[in-house]
Amino acid sequence: MEVIMPFDHLADLTPAQREAVTHTEGPLLVLAGAGSGKTRVITRRIIHLLHEGIRPANILAITFTNKAAGEMRQRVEAMIPHSRVWISTFHAFGVRIMRRYAERFSLDRNFTIYDQDDRLRVVKAAIEAANFDRIRFSPDRVQAAISRAKNQLLTPHAYARKAGDFFEQVVAEIYPIYQKKLHDANAVDFDDLLLVPALALKHDAELRAELDAQFQYVLIDEYQDTNLAQYEIARGLSIDQPNLCVVGDPDQSIYKWRGSDLRNILDFERDFPNARIIALDRNYRSTQRILQAASYLIAHNRQRKRKQLTTDNDIGKPVQVTTYVTGLDEADAVARRIKEAVVSGRRHYRDFAVFMRINALSRAFETAFVKHRIPFQIVRGLAFFDRKENKDIMAYVRLLLNPRDDVSFLRIVNEPPRGIGKVSLAHLQSHAEARELSLLEAAAEADKISAIKGKAAAGLRDFAGMIRQLHQHVDDEPDALIRRVLDMSGYRAMLLASKDQQDAERLANIEELVTAARLFAAENDGATIADFVENITLAGDVDGWDDAQDNVAIMTLHASKGLEFPVVFIVAVEQGILPHERSLANDDDLEEERRLAFVGMTRAKEELYLSYSRMREFRGQTLYTRPSQFIEELPRDEIEHEDSSGGWPTVSPAIDEWRGGSHYANEGWQEAGIEPRRRRPKSPAAVAARDGDFSIGMIVRHDRYGQGTIVAVSGSGRQSSGARAIQVRR
C-alpha cells in the first residue's frame, strides 16, 4: 500500500511527541500525562508506520472504549482514507479472534455474547443444578466470583485447585456447570472475550506465532488499566515481533475493582529490559491553577512514576471549594450557577459536567436540573437498549443468529403471549436436556412431548416455525430484519392493540431501535445484523453519551475518563464517599481513590468546582459528614474557599484518627435526643479523649437517627459558640 502524505505528520508535534511517533522498532513506554495529547501521538504513530511502508494488516491499535477507538479510527481515516487499520477495544479484538478461530475454541462462529442479565440467569440455573440454595448463595455474589476467576485466567479446574474457604468451594462446584451451560448454548460471557484469547496466546504456540506474525506493530492505550488477561494478550502478541508501544499514566489507574493491575505499567521495563521510555508532560487541556491543584494532590501517592506536568495555558481562575448545608443545597446551587452562565450567554449547557463518586448521588441533581429547566444527560451506558421491549426484540435477533441460545428463547417464547406456561416450559426443558437438544429444537417437536398438550404445544410448534421462517431473512439489512421480526412475531400488533399509554411509548422505543439499526448500517459500510448486535453488547458507559447535544453531562468519575469539559463540578467530596469508605483501611485502595479524584480534576479545561455538604441524605439515612481528606491535601494558594453553609458547626477536618463515612451531632442535637446508653471498655487513648459526659467508644442513641458509637469528640462545649461536636458511626 503506497501512502501519499497530504501534510507533514510530524510538523506540529513537540520533540517528545515526535520521538514517540518515530520510535517504531522495539518496545516503547509512553508516559502520557493528563491532557498531554496521547490520542494524537497514537494516531500519528499509526500514520507514520503506514508512511514507512508497513501494511495496515500488520498494525493493531487497542484502547478501552468504543468511543476512543472510533475517534482514533476517524482521525486515521481523515488523514489516510481507506487505510483499514485494525483499531478496537480489547473485547472487540477478542470477539474477532474468537470468531475467526471459533472451531479452535469449540464454538460456532455465530456464538452469542451474554450481557450481565443473561449471565445472571445462567448462574441461577447453575446454582439450582448444583443443588445449592439461591438465597444463601446469591447469584450476584457467585457471578462476581466467577468473573474474578476469569480475570485471573482461572478455568473451572484451576479455580477448584485454589479454592480455599467454604464459599470458594461452592463456587468451584457451580463454575464448571455455568461454563457447560454457556457451551451448550454456543454462548460466551463478557469475561470470556479476554480469557479465551489470553489462554490461547499463552498455551497455543501455533496460534500465538500466527497472530504475532500478523500484528508486527501493536499499540495499546490506557495500559495502566490492563488486567492480567489483557496483559497476557499484549505480551503474547509481542514475543517474535517485540514492537509493542504502550501508552498510559500510572496516575490515572482507576480500575483495580475491575481487575486492573497497576504493576503492568510500573514494571514495563522489567518485562521489556530494552524498552524506551518517553514522558509526555506538557498539558494542553487545563489552566495552570487546575493543573497545579491536581498535581499537588496526586503527589501524595507513592505508587507512581514521578513527573511534573506543565502547561502554557492561561493561569485561570482558582479552583473553588464550596461548603453547603445539605446535598440538596449543593445540587440547587450547581444548577443555579449553570443556568446563570448559560442565560448570560457565557456558556452552553454542553460546556458543563457534574462528576460524582457513585451513581446513587445523581438523584438530587436530576431533581434540581428539572426544577431549573436545565437539559441534562446521565451517562450510564446505552440504557436505551436495556429497555424491556428493545431487549425482547434483540432476543429474537439473537435467537435467529444462534438457534442454541436458550436464554433468548426463554425470554421471548411467550412474548407476545402464546399460551405457554411455566409447567409446559419445564417439560420442554426436561425433554431437551434428556436428548441434548436446544430449546428451539425441542419446541419444533413439541407434538412428540406427551406432557405438553393443546394450546401450549401449538404455541411452541408455531414459535419454532416462525423462527425458521425469519432465519431465511437473516442477511437482510439490519433495520429491515428488525421490522420483519416486529411484524411476524406479533410484537408490534400487541403494542398497537393495547390501550396502555406505556405500550404506546414502548412502540415508539422499538421504532427508534429500527432507526438506530438503519443509522448503524449507514455509518458502517457492509454492517450486518450480527455487527449491530455485537456493537450494542460491547458498548460501555461513555458510548451512550451524545456529545453533540446541548446537555449538561452527569456521570461518575470512572465514566469521565478520557473526556474533557470547559467547566467541571465534582460533588460530594466527603470522607467516606470520595474517598469511598471501602478504601479507608487500605493504603493501595486509598491511592486509587486519589487517582480517581485526579482524573476528575484534570477533565476540567477552564473552571473546576469541588463541593461538599455538612449533611447528606444518602442510602435512606441522614449523614453528618466531614470534608474529604483530599481537600486538605490541595495547595492552599490555588484554592478559593466559599462557605455557603452559614457557618454550620462541624467537626474540624484536623481529626484524622478516624477516616470513615461519618454521622455528626452537635450539642443542639444532643439536647434533641442523643443520650448515653452504656460505655464500652476504653483504651488509654480513648480515656484521654474523654470530653465531659461523652467519650470515644460510648454507645449513644438519638430519638431520630437511632443507635451508634462515638468515634470522635471535638470542641469545648456550649461556651465555644456551639462548636462542640461528637462524631457517631452507626
Side-chain angles (χ1 to χ4, degrees), residues 512 514-524:
E512 188 61 28
V514 175
T515 301
R518 186 179 70 250
L519 293 176
F520 177 81
E523 295 169 1
N524 299 272

Side-chain angles (χ1 to χ4, degrees), residues 259-508:
S260 69
D261 190 342
L262 183 60
R263 293 173 299 178
N264 291 348
I265 191 168
L266 294 178
D267 296 342
F268 187 78
E269 300 98 313
R270 179 204 64 190
D271 296 332
F272 297 93
N274 299 323
R276 183 76 169 273
I277 314 296
I278 299 173
L280 305 181
D281 52 13
R282 182 181 297 181
N283 177 285
Y284 298 93
R285 179 187 299 146
S286 305
T287 64
Q288 293 180 27
R289 279 177 163 153
I290 291 173
L291 193 62
Q292 179 68 13
S295 298
Y296 203 90
L297 173 67
I298 200 63
H300 288 78
N301 275 9
R302 292 177 297 175
Q303 296 187 79
R304 60 191 302 257
K305 289 181 179 286
R306 297 194 176 276
K307 58 185 176 301
Q308 183 62 47
L309 288 175
T310 62
T311 184
D312 295 330
N313 293 339
D314 293 339
I315 187 170
K317 297 181 178 180
V319 175
Q320 188 170 104
V321 176
T322 307
T323 310
Y324 298 98
V325 176
T326 70
L328 296 178
D329 295 331
E330 177 185 49
D332 191 70
V334 169
R336 289 178 184 277
R337 191 186 291 268
I338 292 173
K339 189 76 172 183
E340 179 186 351
V342 174
V343 170
S344 70
R346 292 183 287 113
R347 296 285 186 189
H348 296 93
Y349 287 118
R350 62 176 172 269
D351 293 337
F352 296 92
V354 179
F355 300 159
M356 53 199 66
R357 176 61 179 84
I358 49 179
N359 273 320
L361 295 169
S362 69
R363 181 183 57 82
F365 292 89
E366 295 175 54
T367 302
F369 287 1
V370 169
K371 171 186 172 184
H372 291 281
R373 298 182 178 180
I374 295 173
F376 64 92
Q377 181 179 3
I378 299 177
V379 182
R380 290 181 187 166
L382 299 182
F384 170 75
F385 295 103
D386 288 334
R387 293 169 179 164
K388 177 189 179 301
E389 57 273 17
N390 288 339
K391 293 198 76 168
D392 286 347
I393 299 306
M394 295 313 295
Y396 273 98
V397 174
R398 285 166 46 173
L399 189 59
L400 295 178
L401 294 170
N402 176 17
R404 289 163 53 190
D405 184 356
D406 288 350
V407 169
S408 292
F409 176 95
L410 289 171
R411 182 181 184 96
I412 58 175
V413 68
N414 215 30
E415 288 283 354
R418 297 182 175 91
I420 306 167
K422 291 183 178 179
V423 174
S424 294
L425 285 176
H427 289 311
L428 183 74
Q429 287 176 294
S430 297
H431 180 84
E433 289 173 5
R435 292 158 181 80
E436 297 186 347
L437 300 174
S438 70
L439 292 180
L440 184 60
E441 290 172 321
E445 54 184 52
D447 291 336
K448 299 178 182 179
I449 307 174
S450 59
I452 303 177
K453 304 182 185 301
K455 189 175 181 180
L460 288 168
R461 184 187 61 245
D462 292 346
F463 177 80
M466 177 196 61
I467 295 298
R468 186 167 54 251
Q469 286 181 286
L470 279 170
H471 190 269
Q472 298 173 11
H473 301 278
V474 77
D475 294 327
D476 289 0
E477 291 293 319
D479 59 309
L481 177 62
I482 293 175
R483 279 195 296 269
R484 192 178 293 274
V485 166
L486 284 169
D487 292 335
M488 291 185 64
S489 68
Y491 207 98
R492 188 200 302 273
M494 175 186 70
L495 295 179
L496 283 172
S498 173
K499 296 181 180 179
D500 189 335
Q501 180 58 36
Q502 288 187 344
D503 283 337
E505 294 177 7
R506 292 186 180 104
L507 182 59

Side-chain angles (χ1 to χ4, degrees), residues 76 103 148 265 289 341 574 632 639 661 697:
V76 172
E103 291 184 4
R148 285 194 299 272
I265 191 168
R289 279 177 163 153
E574 295 154 12
E632 303 171 38
I639 303 301

Side-chain angles (χ1 to χ4, degrees), residues 116 314 682:
Q116 185 67 15
D314 293 339
K682 295 181 287 295

Side-chain angles (χ1 to χ4, degrees), residues 62 90 93 194 197-198 201 228-237:
I62 297 181
F90 267 108
F93 171 79
L194 300 180
L201 286 166
L228 178 59
Q230 291 158 337
Y231 168 83
E232 289 293 348
I233 291 172
R235 287 279 288 165
L237 295 173

Side-chain angles (χ1 to χ4, degrees), residues 128-149:
E128 290 178 356
N131 295 317
F132 288 112
D133 183 1
R134 277 169 42 186
I135 302 300
R136 185 178 179 190
F137 303 102
S138 76
D140 283 312
R141 191 178 173 206
V142 171
Q143 187 275 319
I146 292 174
S147 180
R148 285 194 299 272

